[in-house]
Amino acid sequence: RAHQAVAGCISSIMLHPPPPWRFSNARILYQPTLVPLQAAQKVTPSSGLTLLSLFGWTLGGIFVVDWTSSPIGPYREVAILSGL
C-alpha cells in the first residue's frame, strides 16, 4: 500500500515540466512598513546577519506575487519581511 501511495505521488509530480520554470505575467504588491529594530531582531536569525537600520527602525513589509499562469498552474506567493 505504501508503495502505491509513493508511486501515485511520483506520477503526479511528473506531470509538471522539469525546472527551471519561467513565470511571466506577474502581479506584484509590496507594502513597505517601518519595523522597530528590536522587534525585527527577535525574529531574524543571528547567524552572521546584520539588519540595516536607522534611528532604531528597519524596513519590513508584505510582499505578494500572483501569477495567473505558470508551468505549474496559477501560483501565489506571500512573504512577510521582518527587516532589511
Side-chain angles (χ1 to χ4, degrees), residues 40-55:
Q41 287 172 330
K42 289 179 183 178
V43 296
T44 303
S46 60
S47 58
L49 296 176
T50 302
L51 290 170
L52 297 176
S53 65
L54 182 63
F55 304 116

Side-chain angles (χ1 to χ4, degrees), residues 52-64:
L52 297 176
S53 65
L54 182 63
F55 304 116
W57 295 87
T58 187
L59 187 63
I62 299 172
F63 179 75
V64 179

Side-chain angles (χ1 to χ4, degrees), residues 2-84:
H3 176 71
Q4 289 173 341
V6 171
C9 289
I10 291 173
S11 66
S12 67
I13 292 171
M14 301 304 264
L15 296 176
H16 302 300
W21 296 331
R22 306 246 186 259
F23 294 85
S24 59
N25 301 323
R27 294 183 296 181
I28 300 171
L29 167 72
Y30 173 58
Q31 178 64 52
T33 303
L34 289 174
V35 178
L37 181 60
Q38 289 182 339
Q41 287 172 330
K42 289 179 183 178
V43 296
T44 303
S46 60
S47 58
L49 296 176
T50 302
L51 290 170
L52 297 176
S53 65
L54 182 63
F55 304 116
W57 295 87
T58 187
L59 187 63
I62 299 172
F63 179 75
V64 179
V65 183
D66 183 25
W67 289 277
T68 54
S69 65
S70 77
I72 58 171
Y75 179 74
R76 183 172 291 152
E77 184 174 338
V78 177
I80 307 297
L81 310 172
S82 63
L84 285 178

